[in-house]
Structure formats: structure tokens, C-alpha cells
Amino acid sequence: MRLLARAIGFGLLLLAALLPVGAALLMLALEGPAALLALGPAGWASLAAGLLLPGCAALLAQAWQTQREELATLRQALLRQGAAGDSRHLALQALLAENREQTSLLQEQVRLQLGQVNAGRRQAETLQALATETRLARVVGEWDITGRELAAVMAAMWRLVFGWRTPEGPEGQPAVELPLPAGAELGLAILRLLPATPEEMARFQVDERFVRQAARYRALFRDFLERVPETGPLNRALFRDMVQGRLDARLALLPRPNHAVLVPPETLAAE
């Protein structure tokens, strides 16, 4: 139908263009050039208009048709671009929704990780506190055992100095057993017996058995100090400041035991 309309329109335009030419040719054939000259300016203008208007109308129609087709093509292109834009917009919305879900999931994972880190930190702190408490309990238990051994050594040292019984009285009173100082006072009592300087210790009359007990005391105390940490609530400085530590420092001024000296068997029980 569109092609038929175009053919009919082209035929009408051709007829309109040929009609003025045919009229002019007819006038020339009938009356000659004088007829054209007799038309005057108005007739010439009408004749020129008749010759030019169909071509102009054809050009305008062609331009209008071309513009309409271009506009239709442009409209279709815009519609396709709009559809593609809508598709991209929907795809971007879906991508944004997926990114939001992934962000929410990552945030939840981060919160879970932070919770696990905090739980791990609390467990580490608890384990550290438990390890510290266990170490302190171990040190206290070892010190309790070492303290009993040191007390036994100090009791033997005290008996070597003062003996077991008092001598008999002048009126024939029987000898009585000498009591040991209390456990907390025994170390202080022995500490008061020992000289405080090496010069006084050189003039101090001491039994070889006492020297051996002092060496045993120092070995027990030093072996315990090697298992005590340098820092912490219970450290080596703390035990060195105790009476047992000061007694260890004072006993260090005694001479080394002479193991070549033979101790009489009857006096071994006193140790």
C-alpha cells in the first residue's frame, strides 16, 4: 500500500509539473510567442510558479517522508536503548541487592569472627590466669615441702648448738629436755647465733657437723630457688628477703665442710 501511494503521488506530481509546460506549448502552437508576451508579469509569475511548485511540493513531501522515517527509526532506536537501559537497570538493581546481601553476610561473619576472637582472648586470659595460679600453687607446694626440710635441718643445727637436755642442777635436780623454739622463731634464733661479718665468722667456734648441716641447708634452699621464677607474685627476691633467705646468706660465711674429718659415731645421732 505504501508503494502504491508513493506511485500515485509521484504520478500526480508529474502531471502537475507537466500541466504548465503543456499549457505553454499549447499557447505557442496556437498563437505563437506573442501569446506568451501578452501574459505579462503576472502570467509569467503564475507560469513559473506552476513550473516550480510541483517540484518544491515533491521535495517537501520527500523531506517530510524522510524525516518521518528517520524519526520512526530514531524512536525505535530510543525504544531499544530504553529497553536495554531498563535491562541494565534491573541487572544493576539485582547486583546491588546481591552486594547488599553479601555485605550483610560479611558483616555477620565479621561479627562472628570478632566474637570468636573475644572468646579466644577470654579463654587465653583464663588459661593464663589458671597457669599463673597453677604455677603459684606449685611454688607454694614446693616451698611447703622445702620449708619442712629446712625446719628439720634447722632443728638439727639447734640441737648441735644447745643439745637435747639441760645439765643436772647443783642440788641434784634431774636434767630436762630443752624445747625447740617455735617454727617461725627457729630461723631467727639460729640467725642471732651466727656472726654477721666474715671477720667475726673466722673467729667463730663451730662444730664440723654444724658446717655440714649448713651446707645441706644451703643446698636445699638453692635447689628450691632454681625452680622459682625471676618475676611474679612469688619470685626469687621475695624468698631471699625471708628469714630462710637471710639465713642462707649468713650460712654462706661459714667455711666449707671438711668431709675428711671423721665424726665420732656416738655424736651422729645429734645431727
Side-chain angles (χ1 to χ4, degrees), residues 88-103:
R88 288 195 296 268
H89 181 67
L90 294 176
L92 287 175
Q93 286 183 346
L95 183 60
L96 288 175
E98 185 178 359
N99 288 333
R100 291 193 190 97
E101 292 178 358
Q102 290 180 356
T103 302

Side-chain angles (χ1 to χ4, degrees), residues 143 150 154 187-188 191 194 217-218 221-222 224-225 236-252:
W143 174 245
L150 294 179
M154 285 188 292
L188 289 175
L191 191 62
L194 298 173
Y217 180 97
R218 296 194 66 225
F221 188 75
R222 293 295 172 178
F224 170 75
L225 283 185
R236 296 182 183 181
L238 177 66
F239 288 100
R240 289 193 184 99
D241 291 338
M242 296 174 66
V243 174
Q244 288 81 357
R246 294 198 296 271
L247 183 57
D248 173 73
R250 192 71 61 85
L251 292 175

Side-chain angles (χ1 to χ4, degrees), residues 11 25 44 66-67 80 94 137 145 166 169 171 175 218 256 258 268:
L25 292 175
W44 295 344
T66 304
Q67 184 180 10
R80 288 194 299 270
I145 297 174
T166 60
E171 299 178 359
R218 296 194 66 225
R256 295 177 61 86
N258 187 2
L268 290 177

Side-chain angles (χ1 to χ4, degrees), residues 95-177:
L95 183 60
L96 288 175
E98 185 178 359
N99 288 333
R100 291 193 190 97
E101 292 178 358
Q102 290 180 356
T103 302
S104 302
L105 180 61
L106 289 175
Q107 289 177 352
E108 186 65 25
Q109 289 179 353
V110 168
R111 283 193 292 269
L112 291 176
Q113 291 293 335
L114 290 177
Q116 291 178 359
V117 168
N118 293 329
R121 186 182 297 111
R122 288 192 296 269
Q123 290 178 357
E125 292 175 354
T126 303
L127 289 176
Q128 185 176 3
L130 183 61
T132 302
E133 184 178 355
T134 303
R135 184 166 54 251
L136 293 178
R138 178 183 59 80
V139 172
V140 171
E142 291 179 355
W143 174 245
D144 185 40
I145 297 174
T146 305
R148 287 196 294 268
E149 294 179 358
L150 294 179
V153 176
M154 285 188 292
M157 295 169 69
W158 178 267
R159 293 303 183 187
L160 286 172
V161 174
F162 294 99
W164 287 87
R165 293 180 176 275
T166 60
E168 294 183 359
E171 299 178 359
Q173 296 178 353
V176 296
E177 183 178 352

